[in-house]
Amino acid sequence: MSEPTGKYSITMPRDIAEAAKARSGPSGLSAYVAAAVARQIERDNLNELIQVAEAEHGPITDEEIQALRDQLHHARQEQTRDGSNAA
């Protein structure tokens, strides 16, 4: 069962509305806009979580970010290599 819906009137720049309408596909503009708003809420929630974590532990450094990216890249390479050996 889907969530209950409400009808709302919003105002946005015409070019953005037309681009969204063109991309909305068979699900329609309302579903497209709802998905975009849901993604923005997720980002807002994540930013709030980051602010709380940084207030408690301090900001993450560029070096820490790069180290984590390197770990992720290495793990993906290992996964690809292991997957190709399993065939």
Side-chain angles (χ1 to χ4, degrees), residues 31-45:
Y32 190 85
V33 171
V37 171
R39 280 192 304 276
Q40 184 61 48
I41 291 168
E42 289 173 353
R43 286 180 177 188
D44 293 345
N45 289 340

Side-chain angles (χ1 to χ4, degrees), residues 1-83:
M1 179 179 279
S2 64
E3 293 288 321
T5 60
K7 189 169 185 164
Y8 303 93
S9 174
I10 62 169
T11 303
M12 70 175 79
R14 182 170 281 138
D15 60 333
I16 293 173
E18 291 301 320
K21 194 173 183 180
R23 293 178 175 264
S24 64
S27 62
L29 182 59
S30 291
Y32 190 85
V33 171
V37 171
R39 280 192 304 276
Q40 184 61 48
I41 291 168
E42 289 173 353
R43 286 180 177 188
D44 293 345
N45 289 340
L46 181 56
N47 284 333
E48 290 172 8
L49 181 62
I50 290 168
Q51 288 175 354
V52 168
E54 286 185 340
E56 185 173 336
H57 303 287
I60 190 166
T61 66
D62 290 339
E63 292 79 16
E64 290 169 318
I65 292 171
Q66 188 58 50
L68 291 170
R69 285 183 175 150
D70 292 344
Q71 287 178 10
L72 179 59
H73 179 72
H74 179 72
R76 286 180 176 158
Q77 285 180 323
E78 289 291 319
Q79 186 178 30
T80 301
R81 185 177 30 209
D82 291 346

